[in-house]
Amino acid sequence: MRSISDIQSALDRAVADGGVPGIVAELQDGEAEPWFGTAGVADTATGRARRPGEHFRIGSFTKAFTGTVVLLLAAEGRLSLDDTVAAWLPGVVEEHLGGDGTGITVRRLLNHTSGLPDAFPGQEPPSPEKPGERFIYSKVNYNLVGMIVEQVTGSTLAEEIDRRLARPLGLAGTYLPGTDNTLREPHARHYSKADAFGAPVEVHDVTDADLSWAGAAGGMVSTTSDLHRFLRDLLGGRLLAPAQQEEMFTTVPTRDWVPDTRYGLGVYAQTLPSGATLWGGGGYIQGSVTYAMGDRQGTRTLVSNLNGDWNDFLETFTDLYDNPAG
């Protein structure tokens, strides 16, 4: 991971070369005070700068929270990773997705080997493939997981995330909003060059867009400091028992996705061009792109967020996280 001066230079390049409105990054290195850097603006109309404590949509890093809740339930014996979808959601896969829920386990949902295709709002998904054959990154997997959590617990996934993770860890800015489209203050404005169905359009403000469809797969809101606390405790083995920790970090190879990655149960490992491997996750959702990665022990973590969704964010985050000098 880069030095502070290199991180700041990468932030400046993201705005100057990538053209996004604004970017923030927070580095936590051991027990030292966190370093926070920013470039660009939180609001293109006023020119207001981005700042610490902002709430933003974290997109698919939601999956790390959802996966952790499932593994906590597994540790309690409330469910098993080998349970089938059909056991908890009879007929749902068959009726709505054309697949066979008896061959899809909770583990296969979590590591994206269910064979179920990805789908966006208003989009007809393709036919499912045979479970266990290969990695297919799919929001459908995690939205099914969220439904299973609610069947097991009798409460909402939002309540389980709050009760099991947000409140115990003191994550005051972390929540799954559901149909409440209003981001808590403070927050940057979120901007997009895509409409609700992913088609290209002119830059527009999507801060209050209804993104409730993302749910367990990508619907959460958080802050840089909250994501540090969660990621460091997760990587450091302080959230899960050893058996569940091993399950979460057992990975499968990815395909047609983020290059040089292996996927676990809601988190992934990414090997950077320098050869370093980081753990955590990223999240792309309309108007907001987030990365939260660290070393395997969680001693050095970096959390970053863009409040625009149109630049080459993989290039931006590689520039931000990689250290060619090792």
Side-chain angles (χ1 to χ4, degrees), residues 137-220:
Y137 189 78
S138 172
K139 292 177 288 297
V140 171
N141 289 321
Y142 274 76
N143 285 328
L144 288 172
V145 167
M147 294 168 66
I148 290 172
V149 167
E150 294 181 348
Q151 281 289 103
V152 172
T153 64
S155 61
T156 67
L157 177 63
E159 291 168 339
E160 291 298 312
I161 288 171
D162 185 61
R163 183 173 71 85
R164 294 172 177 273
L165 297 173
R167 278 187 282 161
L169 296 179
L171 310 182
T174 298
Y175 59 102
L176 180 60
T179 56
D180 181 0
N181 304 332
T182 306
L183 286 175
R184 294 176 186 170
E185 294 288 352
H187 64 79
R189 306 302 300 177
H190 288 27
Y191 300 96
S192 182
K193 281 190 176 181
D195 66 15
F197 305 104
V201 294
E202 293 298 312
V203 175
H204 61 297
D205 190 318
V206 293
T207 308
D208 299 325
D210 180 5
L211 299 174
S212 58
W213 56 266
M220 286 182 66

Side-chain angles (χ1 to χ4, degrees), residues 3-268:
S3 68
I4 287 174
S5 61
D6 287 338
I7 292 171
Q8 183 60 60
S9 295
L11 297 177
D12 295 336
R13 283 191 292 272
V15 173
D17 301 335
V20 292
I23 183 171
V24 295
E26 185 173 292
L27 175 69
Q28 180 71 63
D29 192 353
E31 298 305 315
E33 285 295 311
W35 173 87
F36 184 87
T38 182
V41 299
D43 187 328
T44 58
T46 66
R48 172 171 56 88
R50 298 204 62 177
R51 56 177 169 161
E54 289 176 342
H55 298 83
F56 50 84
R57 303 184 193 280
I58 68 171
S60 287
F61 195 62
T62 300
K63 294 179 177 67
F65 287 85
T66 302
T68 301
V69 168
V70 171
L71 288 165
L72 290 171
L73 290 170
E76 295 169 5
R78 306 277 297 276
L79 58 72
S80 166
L81 298 182
D82 295 317
D83 289 347
T84 65
V85 178
W88 288 106
L89 305 173
V92 169
V93 171
E94 291 78 2
E95 180 179 353
H96 297 284
L97 300 166
D100 181 3
T102 64
I104 301 173
T105 63
V106 173
R107 183 184 287 102
R108 285 176 173 171
L109 292 177
L110 291 171
N111 67 14
H112 296 290
T113 61
S114 69
L116 297 175
D118 199 10
F120 293 87
Q123 191 182 58
E124 192 71 29
S127 299
E129 297 184 11
K130 184 178 178 181
E133 294 278 296
R134 68 184 182 99
F135 175 93
I136 304 172
Y137 189 78
S138 172
K139 292 177 288 297
V140 171
N141 289 321
Y142 274 76
N143 285 328
L144 288 172
V145 167
M147 294 168 66
I148 290 172
V149 167
E150 294 181 348
Q151 281 289 103
V152 172
T153 64
S155 61
T156 67
L157 177 63
E159 291 168 339
E160 291 298 312
I161 288 171
D162 185 61
R163 183 173 71 85
R164 294 172 177 273
L165 297 173
R167 278 187 282 161
L169 296 179
L171 310 182
T174 298
Y175 59 102
L176 180 60
T179 56
D180 181 0
N181 304 332
T182 306
L183 286 175
R184 294 176 186 170
E185 294 288 352
H187 64 79
R189 306 302 300 177
H190 288 27
Y191 300 96
S192 182
K193 281 190 176 181
D195 66 15
F197 305 104
V201 294
E202 293 298 312
V203 175
H204 61 297
D205 190 318
V206 293
T207 308
D208 299 325
D210 180 5
L211 299 174
S212 58
W213 56 266
M220 286 182 66
V221 173
S222 191
T223 68
T224 55
S225 58
D226 277 10
L227 292 184
H228 272 296
R229 191 171 299 122
F230 170 72
L231 182 60
R232 287 165 70 86
D233 282 357
L234 184 62
L235 293 172
R238 293 182 288 276
L239 291 184
L240 298 172
Q244 282 69 45
Q245 185 82 349
E246 182 177 356
E247 289 279 11
M248 174 161 265
F249 293 96
T250 298
T251 60
V252 297
T254 64
R255 174 178 168 180
D256 301 326
W257 197 57
V258 179
D260 302 310
T261 52
R262 293 183 61 89
Y263 204 92
L265 304 186
V267 295
Y268 58 87

